[in-house]
Amino acid sequence: MQKIMIIEDDPKIAEHLQSYLIKYRYDVNVVEDFLRVMEVFNEYQPDLVLLDINLPSYDGYYWCRQIRKESICPVIFLSARIGEMDQVMALENGGDDYITKPFHAEVVIAKVRSQLRRAYGEYAVQREERVLAKEGLTLYLERLELTFADKTASLSKKEADIIESLLERHPRIAGREDLLEKLWDDQAYVDENTLNVNIARVRKKFQELGLPDAVETVRGAGYRLNVSTLKGDGQ
Protein backbone atom coordinates (compact mmCIF):
# COMPACT_ATOMS: atom_id res chain seq x y z
CA MET A 1 0.00 0.00 0.00
CA GLN A 2 1.57 3.29 -1.12
CA LYS A 3 1.82 6.07 1.46
CA ILE A 4 0.57 9.63 0.93
CA MET A 5 1.40 12.48 3.30
CA ILE A 6 -0.98 15.47 3.41
CA ILE A 7 0.35 18.85 4.60
CA GLU A 8 -2.77 21.02 4.63
CA ASP A 9 -3.92 23.37 7.41
CA ASP A 10 -7.61 23.42 6.41
CA PRO A 11 -9.06 20.44 8.35
CA LYS A 12 -12.02 20.05 5.99
CA ILE A 13 -9.83 19.87 2.90
CA ALA A 14 -7.37 17.52 4.61
CA GLU A 15 -10.20 15.24 5.75
CA HIS A 16 -11.78 15.28 2.29
CA LEU A 17 -8.48 14.31 0.64
CA GLN A 18 -7.77 11.66 3.24
CA SER A 19 -11.14 9.95 2.83
CA TYR A 20 -10.83 9.93 -0.95
CA LEU A 21 -7.27 8.55 -0.91
CA ILE A 22 -8.22 5.83 1.57
CA LYS A 23 -11.13 4.92 -0.73
CA TYR A 24 -8.55 4.29 -3.45
CA ARG A 25 -6.49 2.10 -1.09
CA TYR A 26 -3.70 4.50 -0.19
CA ASP A 27 -2.23 4.71 3.30
CA VAL A 28 -2.58 8.36 4.42
CA ASN A 29 -0.89 10.48 7.08
CA VAL A 30 -2.25 13.99 7.74
CA VAL A 31 0.20 16.39 9.40
CA GLU A 32 -1.27 18.12 12.46
CA ASP A 33 1.79 19.80 13.99
CA PHE A 34 3.21 22.15 11.37
CA LEU A 35 6.47 22.61 13.25
CA ARG A 36 7.19 18.88 13.01
CA VAL A 37 6.71 18.42 9.27
CA MET A 38 10.14 16.92 8.63
CA GLU A 39 10.01 14.75 11.73
CA VAL A 40 6.73 13.28 10.52
CA PHE A 41 8.10 12.96 7.00
CA ASN A 42 11.19 11.04 8.12
CA GLU A 43 9.18 8.78 10.39
CA TYR A 44 6.45 8.06 7.84
CA GLN A 45 8.63 7.93 4.67
CA PRO A 46 5.80 8.75 2.24
CA ASP A 47 5.79 7.81 -1.42
CA LEU A 48 4.15 11.13 -2.32
CA VAL A 49 3.32 14.44 -0.60
CA LEU A 50 0.30 16.70 -1.12
CA LEU A 51 1.45 20.14 0.06
CA ASP A 52 -0.43 23.40 0.62
CA ILE A 53 1.42 26.70 0.15
CA ASN A 54 -0.20 28.81 2.88
CA LEU A 55 0.77 27.11 6.13
CA PRO A 56 1.44 28.28 9.70
CA SER A 57 5.01 29.37 10.54
CA TYR A 58 6.65 28.30 7.26
CA ASP A 59 5.09 28.13 3.81
CA GLY A 60 4.90 25.15 1.49
CA TYR A 61 7.86 26.37 -0.58
CA TYR A 62 10.06 26.11 2.51
CA TRP A 63 8.86 22.62 3.39
CA CYS A 64 9.31 21.41 -0.18
CA ARG A 65 12.95 22.55 -0.10
CA GLN A 66 13.44 20.66 3.16
CA ILE A 67 11.86 17.53 1.69
CA ARG A 68 14.15 17.76 -1.33
CA LYS A 69 17.16 17.57 0.96
CA GLU A 70 15.93 14.16 2.10
CA SER A 71 13.96 12.63 -0.74
CA ILE A 72 13.03 12.69 -4.42
CA CYS A 73 9.46 11.53 -3.74
CA PRO A 74 6.83 13.39 -5.82
CA VAL A 75 5.42 16.58 -4.29
CA ILE A 76 2.12 17.97 -5.58
CA PHE A 77 1.26 21.49 -4.47
CA LEU A 78 -2.35 22.36 -3.61
CA SER A 79 -3.20 26.05 -3.45
CA ALA A 80 -5.90 28.66 -3.93
CA ARG A 81 -3.25 30.85 -5.56
CA ILE A 82 -3.87 30.93 -9.31
CA GLY A 83 -1.09 33.28 -10.40
CA GLU A 84 1.47 31.97 -12.89
CA MET A 85 4.38 33.03 -10.66
CA ASP A 86 2.97 31.04 -7.73
CA GLN A 87 2.94 27.96 -9.92
CA VAL A 88 6.45 28.68 -11.21
CA MET A 89 7.66 29.18 -7.63
CA ALA A 90 6.20 25.82 -6.63
CA LEU A 91 8.06 24.07 -9.44
CA GLU A 92 11.25 26.04 -8.79
CA ASN A 93 11.24 25.00 -5.14
CA GLY A 94 11.13 21.31 -5.99
CA GLY A 95 7.47 20.57 -6.69
CA ASP A 96 6.42 18.12 -9.39
CA ASP A 97 2.89 19.34 -10.07
CA TYR A 98 0.41 22.05 -9.04
CA ILE A 99 -3.35 21.83 -8.46
CA THR A 100 -5.45 24.94 -7.84
CA LYS A 101 -8.28 25.08 -5.32
CA PRO A 102 -11.14 24.41 -5.46
CA PHE A 103 -10.39 21.06 -7.08
CA HIS A 104 -12.20 17.86 -7.96
CA ALA A 105 -10.98 14.93 -5.89
CA GLU A 106 -10.85 12.77 -9.02
CA VAL A 107 -8.32 15.17 -10.54
CA VAL A 108 -6.14 14.85 -7.45
CA ILE A 109 -6.36 11.05 -7.60
CA ALA A 110 -5.42 11.05 -11.29
CA LYS A 111 -2.40 13.27 -10.69
CA VAL A 112 -1.35 11.20 -7.67
CA ARG A 113 -1.47 8.06 -9.80
CA SER A 114 0.46 9.76 -12.60
CA GLN A 115 3.24 10.95 -10.29
CA LEU A 116 3.51 7.57 -8.56
CA ARG A 117 3.83 5.84 -11.92
CA ARG A 118 6.56 8.25 -13.00
CA ALA A 119 8.48 7.88 -9.77
CA TYR A 120 8.15 4.18 -9.05
CA GLY A 121 6.57 2.37 -11.98
CA GLU A 122 9.81 1.02 -13.39
CA TYR A 123 11.42 0.20 -10.03
CA ALA A 124 9.33 -2.94 -9.52
CA VAL A 125 11.39 -4.80 -12.11
CA GLN A 126 14.65 -2.94 -11.64
CA ARG A 127 16.69 -3.59 -8.53
CA GLU A 128 20.07 -2.18 -9.53
CA GLU A 129 20.86 1.47 -9.00
CA ARG A 130 20.25 3.63 -12.06
CA VAL A 131 23.58 5.06 -13.24
CA LEU A 132 24.52 6.90 -16.44
CA ALA A 133 28.18 7.43 -17.36
CA LYS A 134 30.13 9.04 -20.20
CA GLU A 135 33.81 9.96 -20.47
CA GLY A 136 34.38 9.80 -16.71
CA LEU A 137 31.19 11.71 -15.86
CA THR A 138 28.80 9.62 -13.74
CA LEU A 139 25.20 10.45 -12.83
CA TYR A 140 23.69 8.55 -9.89
CA LEU A 141 19.98 9.11 -10.44
CA GLU A 142 18.75 7.67 -7.17
CA ARG A 143 21.41 9.39 -5.06
CA LEU A 144 20.98 12.70 -6.93
CA GLU A 145 24.73 12.98 -7.36
CA LEU A 146 27.01 13.84 -10.28
CA THR A 147 30.70 12.88 -10.15
CA PHE A 148 33.74 13.61 -12.29
CA ALA A 149 37.31 12.69 -11.40
CA ASP A 150 37.41 12.97 -7.59
CA LYS A 151 34.66 15.60 -7.25
CA THR A 152 30.96 15.16 -6.44
CA ALA A 153 28.06 17.61 -6.85
CA SER A 154 24.68 17.16 -5.16
CA LEU A 155 21.68 17.70 -7.42
CA SER A 156 18.02 18.57 -7.17
CA LYS A 157 15.57 16.21 -8.85
CA LYS A 158 15.07 18.54 -11.81
CA GLU A 159 18.81 19.10 -12.24
CA ALA A 160 19.28 15.33 -12.35
CA ASP A 161 16.48 15.03 -14.92
CA ILE A 162 18.11 17.60 -17.19
CA ILE A 163 21.54 15.96 -16.95
CA GLU A 164 19.94 12.57 -17.59
CA SER A 165 18.46 13.92 -20.83
CA LEU A 166 21.78 15.43 -21.90
CA LEU A 167 23.58 12.12 -21.30
CA GLU A 168 20.93 9.97 -22.94
CA ARG A 169 20.57 12.16 -26.04
CA HIS A 170 24.26 12.79 -26.69
CA PRO A 171 25.50 13.47 -29.34
CA ARG A 172 22.00 14.62 -30.24
CA ILE A 173 20.46 17.83 -28.93
CA ALA A 174 18.11 17.80 -25.95
CA GLY A 175 15.37 20.08 -27.27
CA ARG A 176 13.74 22.70 -25.06
CA GLU A 177 10.27 21.28 -25.59
CA ASP A 178 11.53 17.77 -24.80
CA LEU A 179 13.06 19.00 -21.55
CA LEU A 180 9.87 20.80 -20.55
CA GLU A 181 7.83 17.68 -21.25
CA LYS A 182 10.21 15.54 -19.19
CA LEU A 183 10.32 17.92 -16.24
CA TRP A 184 6.71 19.06 -16.01
CA ASP A 185 3.42 17.34 -16.85
CA ASP A 186 1.68 20.55 -17.90
CA GLN A 187 3.85 22.88 -19.97
CA ALA A 188 1.17 25.58 -19.76
CA TYR A 189 2.31 26.23 -16.19
CA VAL A 190 5.94 26.80 -17.18
CA ASP A 191 7.42 29.68 -19.11
CA GLU A 192 10.69 29.66 -21.02
CA ASN A 193 12.50 31.48 -18.23
CA THR A 194 11.84 28.62 -15.83
CA LEU A 195 13.84 26.23 -18.00
CA ASN A 196 16.57 28.85 -18.39
CA VAL A 197 16.90 29.08 -14.61
CA ASN A 198 17.21 25.30 -14.29
CA ILE A 199 19.79 25.10 -17.08
CA ALA A 200 21.80 27.82 -15.29
CA ARG A 201 21.72 25.73 -12.12
CA VAL A 202 22.89 22.66 -14.04
CA ARG A 203 25.80 24.67 -15.42
CA LYS A 204 26.76 25.68 -11.88
CA LYS A 205 26.84 22.01 -10.87
CA PHE A 206 29.19 21.23 -13.75
CA GLN A 207 31.30 24.21 -12.73
CA GLU A 208 31.62 22.70 -9.24
CA LEU A 209 33.18 19.69 -10.96
CA GLY A 210 35.62 21.87 -12.91
CA LEU A 211 33.59 21.63 -16.13
CA PRO A 212 32.26 25.14 -16.82
CA ASP A 213 31.64 24.51 -20.55
CA ALA A 214 30.02 21.08 -20.33
CA VAL A 215 26.56 22.28 -21.43
CA GLU A 216 26.46 23.77 -24.92
CA THR A 217 23.56 25.96 -26.05
CA VAL A 218 22.39 25.20 -29.58
CA ARG A 219 20.59 28.38 -30.58
CA GLY A 220 16.97 27.86 -31.52
CA ALA A 221 17.10 24.13 -30.72
CA GLY A 222 18.13 23.29 -27.18
CA TYR A 223 21.19 22.01 -25.33
CA ARG A 224 23.91 19.41 -25.86
CA LEU A 225 26.54 17.83 -23.63
CA ASN A 226 30.01 18.98 -24.69
CA VAL A 227 31.95 15.72 -24.40
CA SER A 228 35.16 17.30 -25.71
CA THR A 229 35.29 19.29 -22.47
CA LEU A 230 35.20 16.07 -20.46
CA LYS A 231 37.95 14.50 -22.56
CA GLY A 232 40.05 17.62 -22.36
CA ASP A 233 39.77 17.76 -18.56
CA GLY A 234 40.74 14.16 -18.21
CA GLN A 235 43.94 14.49 -20.26
Side-chain angles (χ1 to χ4, degrees):
M1 185 178 290
Q2 290 176 303
K3 298 188 291 185
I4 312 296
M5 181 172 168
I6 298 174
I7 310 173
E8 164 66 63
D9 66 339
D10 186 321
K12 291 183 178 180
I13 293 177
E15 183 179 350
H16 178 57
L17 287 169
Q18 182 181 31
S19 63
Y20 234 87
L21 288 163
I22 290 174
K23 174 183 174 182
Y24 282 87
R25 301 181 182 277
Y26 292 105
D27 186 271
V28 184
N29 188 323
V30 178
V31 172
E32 296 179 355
D33 185 346
F34 295 98
L35 292 176
R36 296 186 61 253
V37 169
M38 289 311 299
E39 291 179 49
V40 176
F41 179 90
N42 288 320
E43 291 171 3
Y44 185 56
Q45 291 292 307
D47 297 298
L48 181 143
V49 175
L50 293 173
L51 176 61
D52 190 15
I53 293 178
N54 293 326
L55 295 168
S57 301
Y58 300 98
D59 63 21
Y61 302 140
Y62 170 84
W63 289 120
C64 192
R65 292 195 300 273
Q66 303 315 302
I67 289 170
R68 283 290 167 258
K69 293 177 182 178
E70 307 288 338
S71 172
I72 60 172
C73 79
V75 175
I76 300 177
F77 275 90
L78 305 171
S79 178
R81 301 183 185 183
I82 61 174
E84 291 183 0
M85 283 310 301
D86 292 310
Q87 297 174 42
V88 170
M89 282 284 291
L91 298 170
E92 285 295 319
N93 280 277
D96 296 282
D97 208 337
Y98 192 102
I99 302 174
T100 55
K101 301 175 184 177
F103 50 76
H104 291 287
E106 291 292 347
V107 172
V108 177
I109 295 297
K111 287 185 174 283
V112 164
R113 285 176 168 170
S114 173
Q115 289 296 333
L116 289 172
R117 282 196 301 270
R118 291 183 76 188
Y120 310 111
E122 63 192 90
Y123 291 177
V125 294
Q126 181 172 323
R127 297 182 180 275
E128 295 183 0
E129 181 176 12
R130 297 169 63 211
V131 177
L132 293 175
K134 189 176 291 292
E135 301 294 344
L137 182 72
T138 305
L139 173 64
Y140 296 93
L141 286 158
E142 292 163 45
R143 301 185 210 176
L144 294 180
E145 289 182 351
L146 183 67
T147 66
F148 186 75
D150 59 347
K151 297 179 181 178
T152 299
S154 297
L155 307 171
S156 70
K157 178 65 167 59
K158 284 185 169 46
E159 289 166 355
D161 285 341
I162 290 172
I163 296 170
E164 178 185 11
S165 290
L166 292 171
L167 284 166
E168 287 183 338
R169 290 180 176 273
H170 184 270
R172 295 171 297 158
I173 296 166
R176 294 181 65 88
E177 291 185 4
D178 294 329
L179 288 171
L180 286 169
E181 184 176 353
K182 180 179 180 63
L183 296 175
W184 296 284
D185 283 336
D186 191 341
Q187 295 184 39
Y189 290 158
V190 183
D191 60 20
E192 288 290 304
N193 186 58
T194 305
L195 180 57
N196 294 340
V197 169
N198 279 275
I199 290 292
R201 290 174 178 170
V202 165
R203 286 192 164 113
K204 287 182 180 178
K205 297 300 181 178
F206 277 107
Q207 191 166 8
E208 289 178 21
L209 301 179
L211 301 168
D213 302 316
V215 180
E216 175 187 358
T217 299
V218 181
R219 188 174 297 277
Y223 305 91
R224 180 168 48 206
L225 185 67
N226 187 352
V227 170
S228 61
T229 298
L230 307 182
K231 291 179 179 179
D233 193 274
Q235 291 177 351

